[in-house]
């Protein structure tokens, strides 16, 4: 990795960890994420694949086309005035969250070594995608909604715009927004100004920023980031022998709990320890339970879930542990509404792109 200057990017918190500067990728120390269930914009992680485009909101147009009866060209004012405004608390998580732990199993070259900070939850406001698609008139043969960003990316010697798609059934869900605001303020350029799609419950990659066009079509997007990247392969497959057609194109997120404090390697004083973290489940399944262990998973207790049950936003949790002096391995795992839980071992989820790590989260500490 290149030597990175210590200062945070404009608009971001002084503690923001810059994982890559061009294009910009970074997020907050997970301990700071636990401050508020609504992540302030200055702590919200940034995942970008190309340079941040500067788009003039006055001349901006969203085009809606493909298999629709009435193609639309919408200004920001049209989106605000012709469609209902919906506000929704929803968590975005990158498929690469927690990749750094997978690196301990085997190398993952060329990917951002995210810790557990590639996640954030915001109050998004915007027009429901459903209403916009219904206004355009969905044709019967349409099966996928493809999104095209206005940012340029370079891969394999080609320049193209970022994109991806979601199944039409998901696109017609009430929860998918064409968001123009984040936490009550207009979207910041880093997060997709002036308009992005927010696809709750799906990997962050489908929440296309700087949205330029929506197209209804019979098949998934052929954009690199749908057809090639963000695919999940079994552990025996490598970049050299991957058959890209056969990978699982990622959509819904899986259930995941993370310990935000104490941090790894901390030396702690004797007495009761408050363990705090976040948990999130994909696909609109709420988090139902978080288990915490102070002995590497031999015995467990149930953490207290804080705040409201939600299908689309994470849940904070905490647990009090009595730890004797010595070394301890604290472990957390969550369960969702379908009783899905997390796999025990990192090596069982390792894949050469380092996606979807939801193995038990472990933090080793020493009590003095
Ligand atoms: N949209 C565009 N146009 N370009 C991008 O590089 N990155 C995606 C998604 N949308 C991306 C994009 C990925 S991988 C993630 S995880 C989220 O945006 C991150 O959103 P954020 O930067 O607002 O946190």
């Amino acid at each position: 990795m290149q030597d990175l200057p210590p200062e945070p990017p404009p608009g971001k918190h002084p503690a923001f960890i810059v994982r890559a500067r061009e294009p910009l990728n970074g997020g907050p120390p997970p301990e700071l994420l636990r401050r508020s269930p609504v992540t302030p914009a200055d702590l919200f992680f940034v995942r970008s694949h190309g340079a941040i485009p500067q788009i003039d909101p006055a001349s901006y147009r969203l085009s809606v086309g493909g298999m629709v009866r009435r193609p639309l060209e919408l200004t920001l004012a049209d989106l605000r005035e012709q469609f209902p405004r919906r506000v929704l608390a929803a968590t975005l998580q990158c498929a690469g969250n927690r990749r750094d732990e997978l690196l301990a199993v085997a190398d993952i070259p060329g990917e951002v070594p995210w810790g557990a900070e590639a996640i954030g939850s915001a109050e998004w406001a915007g027009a429901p995608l459903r209403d916009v698609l219904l206004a355009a008139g969905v044709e019967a043969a349409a099966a996928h909604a493809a999104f095209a960003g206005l940012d340029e990316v370079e891969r394999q010697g080609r320049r193209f715009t970022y994109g991806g798609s979601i199944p039409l059934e998901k696109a017609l869900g009430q929860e998918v927004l064409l968001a123009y605001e984040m936490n009550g303020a207009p979207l910041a350029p880093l997060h997709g100004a002036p308009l992005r799609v927010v696809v709750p419950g799906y990997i962050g990659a489908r929440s296309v920023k700087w949205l330029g066009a929506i197209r209804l079509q019979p098949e998934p997007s052929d954009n690199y980031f749908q057809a090639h990247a963000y695919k999940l392969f079994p552990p025996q497959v490598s970049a050299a022998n991957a058959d890209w057609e056969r990978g699982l194109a990622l959509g819904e997120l899986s259930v995941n709990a993370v310990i935000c404090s104490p941090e790894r390697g901390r030396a702690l004083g004797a007495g009761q320890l408050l363990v705090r973290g976040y948990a999130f489940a994909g696909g609109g399944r709420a988090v139902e339970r978080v288990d915490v262990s102070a002995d590497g998973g031999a015995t467990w207790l149930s953490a207290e879930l804080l705040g409201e049950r939600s299908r689309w936003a994470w849940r904070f949790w905490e647990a009090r542990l009595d730890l004797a002096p010595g070394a301890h391995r604290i472990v957390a795992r969550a369960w969702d509404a379908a009783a899905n839980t997390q796999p025990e071992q990192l090596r069982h989820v390792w894949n050469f792109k380092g996606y979807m790590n939801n193995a038990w989260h472990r933090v080793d500490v020493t009590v003095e």
Side-chain angles (χ1 to χ4, degrees), residues 126-158:
L129 174 61
R130 173 186 176 83
D131 293 71
V132 173
L133 294 181
L134 294 183
V138 178
E139 287 185 356
H144 295 266
F147 308 118
L150 295 167
D151 52 333
E152 275 215 335
V153 183
E154 192 170 335
R155 285 287 185 289
Q156 301 169 327
R158 279 196 317 124

Side-chain angles (χ1 to χ4, degrees), residues 165-186:
S165 62
I166 58 174
L168 181 64
E169 197 186 354
K170 176 70 178 175
L172 293 175
Q174 305 281 355
E175 71 278 8
V176 183
L177 296 184
L178 297 176
Y180 38 71
E181 284 175 23
M182 180 183 179
N183 298 344

Side-chain angles (χ1 to χ4, degrees), residues 348-366:
H348 293 156
V349 292
W350 188 93
N351 58 95
F352 79 94
K353 297 283 285 180
Y355 296 137
M356 303 294 268
N357 175 16
N358 73 335
W360 292 1
H361 195 235
R362 297 169 168 85
V363 165
D364 291 336
V365 294
T366 312

